[in-house]
Amino acid sequence: MGKARLEAFSDGVLAIIITIMVLELKVPHGTGIDALVPLVPVFLSYVLSFVYLGIYWSNHHHMLHATRTVTGSVLWANLHLLFWLSLVPFTTGWMGENHVATMPAAAYGFVLLMAAIAYWILQQRIIATQGSDSILRVAVGGDWKGKVSPLLYLMAIGLAFVSPWIAMAIYVFVALIWVVPDRRIERVLVGKAR
Amino acid sequence: MGKARLEAFSDGVLAIIITIMVLELKVPHGTGIDALVPLVPVFLSYVLSFVYLGIYWSNHHHMLHATRTVTGSVLWANLHLLFWLSLVPFTTGWMGENHVATMPAAAYGFVLLMAAIAYWILQQRIIATQGSDSILRVAVGGDWKGKVSPLLYLMAIGLAFVSPWIAMAIYVFVALIWVVPDRRIERVLVGKAR
Amino acid sequence: MGKARLEAFSDGVLAIIITIMVLELKVPHGTGIDALVPLVPVFLSYVLSFVYLGIYWSNHHHMLHATRTVTGSVLWANLHLLFWLSLVPFTTGWMGENHVATMPAAAYGFVLLMAAIAYWILQQRIIATQGSDSILRVAVGGDWKGKVSPLLYLMAIGLAFVSPWIAMAIYVFVALIWVVPDRRIERVLVGKAR
Amino acid sequence: MGKARLEAFSDGVLAIIITIMVLELKVPHGTGIDALVPLVPVFLSYVLSFVYLGIYWSNHHHMLHATRTVTGSVLWANLHLLFWLSLVPFTTGWMGENHVATMPAAAYGFVLLMAAIAYWILQQRIIATQGSDSILRVAVGGDWKGKVSPLLYLMAIGLAFVSPWIAMAIYVFVALIWVVPDRRIERVLVGKAR
């Protein structure tokens, strides 16, 4: 089974998720600049989630680049990842509308944590289909970002009960370490080609 | 006529349907964990429908893999299937918001039943274009899942009037028997290739 | 300039339009079957518009199949068509929610009329790029459907002021004459290949 | 890394943005033609934004046509552009619902300005990947439209505080100078092929 349709479907779902979030930015009723003020936290949550979904799209792109066969279990692991990502607009909206309260901030982290786990499962399923000389296994060998992120999300969920702003700071930090483009797979692929 | 655009359009519609459902998960007004409680049945209905749409996408993927020509009747049979699937977010929302009441549970089953029939019609139209040596006909020869599912949906619709939870249990059961990836077509394709 | 991206973008927009309409089917508050009754006209308008958009998608598919080059004017003629089609969910909702009143029924016809004109313009732009031996020109030579439909829409808009149900009947009639798949282009293409 | 998925994702996001805007055209409650009157400014804003997004899609299409490699920084520059474009439905709705008031008209221009800057950054990133003999650099050499537009947006933002209608007139004017299809890249590509 080819991977083209899996990519197309994932692109479609991610494109919709990233765009649906903006529907949370409901058109304000006033016309003054003060009418925008209550939207600021919603807007900032939207920016953060846009970056997270961009990271997922970019990494998903790289990972499937190093994938050849799509088995049934890869297909379902991919749907599982998309499921958790589809909940991002919900937790983004909840966090934004409540100006970063405790439970919404923790829920935001929970969905990010589950997405990170789902991404890891998908990665493992693809490596399993590639056997012992898996390009992807080599590529993600020193995947410290993938290992550190879930731990940071867990920390953020716990610290949200101290202050939701600490959780928020951790989410921004994790996004920043990922925005640096993931050159690991590219490097190994280039190395193999030489 | 090629099948690439049919796949692309179907992927687009399925991606949108699967993502639109999450819009039913309206952002709660409170910030406590109790604000999430009324969302639990909506959330569970969403999970179930996400799995169903995943099953349809996966099976549609397999079926078109074994398809070569797309005639006008295949095209319309496909649109007919997408029509019924596009109603899933509606019945999902109705069932979820009413904590699994009788009529919504029956309506949910009715849409699943019509989608199953539409899928069967699409399958027959494709087999008809392939003539007597149809790969797809061989592949779905022992299609017990495809035969049993509509009967189970019918049962569920009837039993919803006894208890909507019985109907719900049947929907979960049908989803489970399908989540096991459909290896029938793969097997025949592999068999042919040998 | 290739046509692949034009097709992909058009498929995307059409897939979204066709799916967005179902959002008009707002989840009813009651749980009885009577809660569905006020939705019946909305549902029927949705079915009609789904069929119309299916017809446009199918014909667009055929037309681009007979297209080679995409110039700037083809690209804008295509966007112009998508613009009018994007208004279909609006007039569908207006007509459905008002149980087929005069103005909404006329507005529905007006948008269909403008889409038909936009489709005709797109067709002319493509024929112009193909020069004197245009496959598409031959294919649509006896295009009585394309010529009759705008006249019928005009009639329907006028007759909506007598009774919106006459307009409705005309819209159903036009849809029916189109649902018969458009074999004209296929026939000419097959004829050329011989 | 290939550019096919970047194009597909961008097409998806642009298709969704362009279609989501029409959701702002909320179905009116009355059935008379007067029920449409308050929608006129919303409708006109929608037309303007549809044209702007069409321009972006068309130019993006041309630019990627002259692009070969997609690096991490191109990918993020593209996401940055999509981010600002995703805010267009929001400012469109705000401007339309308030019948072109000062702040909404200025906000509309601000988002257009940021999108223009994001487009310019993306262009620079692509030129950087192409080295000294960049096709794209030659193609956009005399890019007076790209240089003039941001200045006009800035002017419009300032003049919105004199009268929002002057700002509006400038937005219409900028759209008009762009609707003329961008033949620059085509010309250079054709020139190279000779």
Side-chain angles (χ1 to χ4, degrees):
Chain A
M1 195 199 304
K3 67 176 174 179
R5 241 189 118 175
L6 190 80
E7 286 184 331
F9 184 74
S10 307
D11 280 355
V13 172
L14 287 170
I16 298 159
I17 294 172
I18 223 170
T19 327
I20 267 181
M21 280 191 308
V22 92
L23 289 174
E24 292 299 326
L25 287 171
K26 270 158 213 132
V27 172
H29 290 295
T31 60
I33 201 155
D34 50 299
L36 292 180
V37 173
L39 284 174
V40 170
V42 188
F43 180 75
L44 293 179
S45 317
Y46 171 56
V47 174
L48 183 62
S49 296
F50 192 97
V51 171
Y52 265 111
L53 288 167
I55 291 164
Y56 269 103
W57 178 71
S58 162
N59 287 349
H60 191 264
H61 186 134
H62 278 85
M63 183 160 65
L64 281 176
H65 202 69
T67 304
R68 222 131 278 154
T69 20
V70 173
T71 61
S73 72
V74 168
L75 198 147
W76 280 101
N78 190 58
L79 275 170
H80 179 233
L81 170 62
L82 294 179
F83 175 78
W84 288 107
L85 293 177
S86 79
L87 293 175
V88 168
F90 173 77
T91 48
T92 303
W94 200 28
M95 190 164 74
E97 283 189 17
N98 293 293
H99 300 206
V100 192
T102 296
M103 276 307 298
Y108 189 81
F110 176 72
V111 167
L112 285 181
L113 176 64
M114 294 310 289
I117 293 171
Y119 189 85
W120 179 84
I121 292 173
L122 174 56
Q123 193 170 270
Q124 293 312 111
R125 297 314 311 151
I126 293 174
I127 289 173
T129 66
Q130 296 190 329
S132 58
D133 59 334
S134 163
I135 297 177
L136 192 60
R137 201 213 312 256
V138 179
V140 300
D143 180 15
W144 64 273
K145 286 183 194 174
K147 278 165 199 141
V148 159
S149 304
L151 295 178
L152 287 170
Y153 295 144
L154 267 177
M155 257 179 66
I157 295 171
L159 290 170
F161 293 88
V162 179
S163 159
W165 291 100
I166 302 177
M168 197 65 180
I170 296 174
Y171 302 143
V172 172
F173 175 73
V174 176
L176 286 177
I177 66 174
W178 278 102
V179 165
V180 181
D182 192 332
R183 298 233 164 87
R184 285 166 302 152
I185 296 171
E186 275 180 285
R187 215 174 291 142
V188 175
L189 283 173
V190 169
K192 282 248 157 176
R194 266 173 205 155
Chain B
M1 195 199 305
K3 67 176 174 178
R5 241 188 118 175
L6 190 79
E7 287 185 331
F9 183 74
S10 307
D11 280 355
V13 172
L14 286 170
I16 298 159
I17 295 172
I18 224 169
T19 328
I20 268 181
M21 280 193 306
V22 91
L23 289 175
E24 292 299 326
L25 288 172
K26 270 157 213 132
V27 171
H29 290 295
T31 61
I33 201 155
D34 49 298
L36 292 180
V37 173
L39 283 173
V40 170
V42 187
F43 180 75
L44 293 179
S45 318
Y46 171 55
V47 174
L48 182 62
S49 296
F50 192 98
V51 171
Y52 265 110
L53 287 166
I55 291 165
Y56 269 103
W57 178 72
S58 161
N59 287 348
H60 190 264
H61 186 134
H62 278 84
M63 183 160 65
L64 280 177
H65 202 70
T67 303
R68 221 131 279 155
T69 18
V70 173
T71 61
S73 72
V74 168
L75 199 147
W76 280 100
N78 191 57
L79 275 170
H80 179 233
L81 170 61
L82 294 178
F83 174 78
W84 288 108
L85 293 178
S86 79
L87 293 176
V88 168
F90 173 77
T91 48
T92 303
W94 200 28
M95 190 165 74
E97 283 190 16
N98 293 294
H99 300 207
V100 192
T102 295
M103 276 307 297
Y108 189 82
F110 176 72
V111 167
L112 285 182
L113 176 64
M114 295 311 289
I117 292 171
Y119 189 84
W120 180 84
I121 292 173
L122 174 57
Q123 193 171 271
Q124 293 313 111
R125 297 315 310 151
I126 293 174
I127 288 174
T129 67
Q130 296 189 330
S132 58
D133 59 333
S134 162
I135 297 178
L136 191 60
R137 201 211 311 255
V138 178
V140 299
D143 180 14
W144 64 272
K145 285 183 194 175
K147 279 166 197 141
V148 159
S149 304
L151 296 177
L152 287 170
Y153 295 144
L154 267 177
M155 257 179 66
I157 295 171
L159 290 170
F161 293 89
V162 180
S163 159
W165 291 100
I166 301 177
M168 196 67 180
I170 296 174
Y171 302 142
V172 172
F173 175 73
V174 176
L176 286 177
I177 65 175
W178 277 102
V179 165
V180 181
D182 192 331
R183 298 231 165 88
R184 285 166 301 152
I185 296 171
E186 276 180 285
R187 215 174 291 144
V188 174
L189 283 174
V190 169
K192 282 248 156 177
R194 266 176 205 153
Chain C
M1 195 199 304
K3 66 176 175 178
R5 241 188 119 175
L6 190 80
E7 286 185 331
F9 184 73
S10 307
D11 281 354
V13 172
L14 287 170
I16 297 159
I17 295 172
I18 224 170
T19 328
I20 267 181
M21 280 193 306
V22 92
L23 289 174
E24 292 298 326
L25 288 171
K26 272 158 212 133
V27 173
H29 290 295
T31 60
I33 200 155
D34 49 298
L36 292 180
V37 173
L39 283 173
V40 169
V42 188
F43 180 75
L44 292 180
S45 317
Y46 171 55
V47 173
L48 183 63
S49 296
F50 192 98
V51 170
Y52 265 111
L53 288 166
I55 291 164
Y56 270 103
W57 178 72
S58 162
N59 288 349
H60 191 264
H61 186 135
H62 278 86
M63 184 160 65
L64 280 177
H65 202 69
T67 303
R68 221 131 279 153
T69 17
V70 173
T71 61
S73 72
V74 168
L75 199 147
W76 280 99
N78 191 57
L79 276 170
H80 179 234
L81 171 61
L82 294 178
F83 174 78
W84 288 108
L85 292 178
S86 80
L87 293 176
V88 168
F90 173 76
T91 48
T92 303
W94 200 28
M95 189 165 74
E97 282 190 17
N98 293 293
H99 299 207
V100 192
T102 294
M103 276 307 297
Y108 189 81
F110 176 72
V111 167
L112 286 182
L113 176 64
M114 295 309 289
I117 292 171
Y119 189 84
W120 180 83
I121 293 172
L122 174 56
Q123 193 171 271
Q124 293 313 110
R125 297 316 309 153
I126 294 174
I127 289 175
T129 67
Q130 296 189 330
S132 58
D133 59 334
S134 162
I135 296 178
L136 192 59
R137 201 214 310 257
V138 178
V140 299
D143 180 14
W144 63 273
K145 286 183 194 173
K147 279 164 199 143
V148 159
S149 304
L151 296 177
L152 287 170
Y153 295 145
L154 267 177
M155 257 179 67
I157 295 171
L159 289 170
F161 292 89
V162 180
S163 159
W165 291 102
I166 300 176
M168 196 66 180
I170 296 173
Y171 302 142
V172 172
F173 175 73
V174 176
L176 286 177
I177 66 174
W178 277 102
V179 165
V180 181
D182 192 332
R183 298 230 166 88
R184 285 166 301 151
I185 296 171
E186 275 180 287
R187 215 174 291 145
V188 174
L189 282 174
V190 169
K192 282 247 157 177
R194 267 174 205 155
Chain D
M1 195 199 305
K3 66 176 174 177
R5 241 188 119 175
L6 190 80
E7 286 185 330
F9 184 73
S10 307
D11 280 353
V13 172
L14 286 170
I16 298 159
I17 294 172
I18 224 169
T19 328
I20 267 181
M21 279 192 308
V22 92
L23 289 174
E24 292 299 326
L25 287 172
K26 272 158 212 131
V27 172
H29 290 295
T31 60
I33 201 155
D34 49 298
L36 292 180
V37 173
L39 283 173
V40 170
V42 188
F43 180 74
L44 292 179
S45 318
Y46 171 56
V47 173
L48 183 62
S49 296
F50 192 98
V51 171
Y52 264 111
L53 288 166
I55 291 164
Y56 269 103
W57 178 72
S58 161
N59 288 349
H60 191 264
H61 186 135
H62 278 84
M63 184 160 64
L64 281 176
H65 202 70
T67 303
R68 222 131 278 154
T69 18
V70 174
T71 61
S73 74
V74 169
L75 199 147
W76 280 99
N78 191 58
L79 276 170
H80 179 234
L81 171 61
L82 294 179
F83 174 78
W84 288 107
L85 293 178
S86 79
L87 293 176
V88 168
F90 173 76
T91 48
T92 303
W94 200 29
M95 189 164 75
E97 283 189 17
N98 293 293
H99 300 206
V100 192
T102 295
M103 276 308 296
Y108 189 81
F110 177 71
V111 167
L112 285 182
L113 176 64
M114 295 310 288
I117 292 171
Y119 188 85
W120 179 83
I121 293 173
L122 173 57
Q123 193 171 271
Q124 293 313 111
R125 296 315 310 152
I126 294 174
I127 288 173
T129 66
Q130 296 189 330
S132 59
D133 59 334
S134 163
I135 296 178
L136 192 60
R137 201 213 310 254
V138 178
V140 299
D143 180 16
W144 63 273
K145 286 184 195 174
K147 277 165 199 143
V148 160
S149 304
L151 296 178
L152 287 170
Y153 295 144
L154 267 177
M155 257 179 67
I157 295 171
L159 290 170
F161 292 89
V162 179
S163 159
W165 291 101
I166 301 176
M168 196 65 180
I170 296 174
Y171 303 143
V172 171
F173 174 74
V174 176
L176 286 177
I177 65 174
W178 278 102
V179 165
V180 181
D182 192 333
R183 298 232 165 88
R184 284 166 302 151
I185 296 170
E186 275 180 287
R187 215 173 291 145
V188 174
L189 283 173
V190 169
K192 281 248 156 176
R194 266 174 205 157

